[in-house]
Amino acid sequence: MPASVLPAPETARAARIFVRHLVGRYPVKDVVLFGSRARGMHDDDGDAAFGRALNRVHEIRMLADDTSEPPGSDEAAWAVAQAEALLAEVQSKIGS
């Protein structure tokens, strides 16, 4: 896909909102849109699965914060696996 192809307007709007949310909480240096959304070939289920994974990781962290107990080993292993899958996807797209 040529570099000049832009994401659909609704994707661009959602990405801007998400980045504003992150910038207020984390030291964001750069943002990369990848996968089916970047290619304009998305379906609602794929992106929803990623969103659900992010929400679940947040829930695990909040529960650990509220109870002052670390997450269970199964939850921690699942969260690490999700992070590794995301990192592998990003690396495959940017060639690092």
Side-chain angles (χ1 to χ4, degrees), residues 1-41:
M1 169 180 286
S4 62
V5 174
L6 298 175
E10 67 273 8
T11 298
R13 180 179 177 276
R16 283 191 301 274
I17 291 168
F18 183 66
V19 169
R20 278 192 296 254
H21 178 78
L22 290 178
V23 167
R25 290 164 179 78
Y26 305 100
V28 176
K29 292 183 180 181
D30 202 358
V31 177
V32 177
L33 180 64
F34 62 93
S36 60
R37 287 275 177 185
R39 294 188 305 273
M41 302 170 60

Side-chain angles (χ1 to χ4, degrees), residues 43-79:
D43 62 35
D44 292 335
D45 290 339
D47 296 322
F50 179 63
R52 285 190 300 272
L54 286 176
N55 286 341
R56 182 64 187 131
V57 168
H58 179 70
E59 289 170 0
I60 291 168
R61 193 192 93 219
M62 294 302 292
L63 182 60
D65 288 349
D66 289 345
T67 63
S68 297
E69 295 288 328
S73 60
D74 288 346
E75 290 175 323
W78 177 85

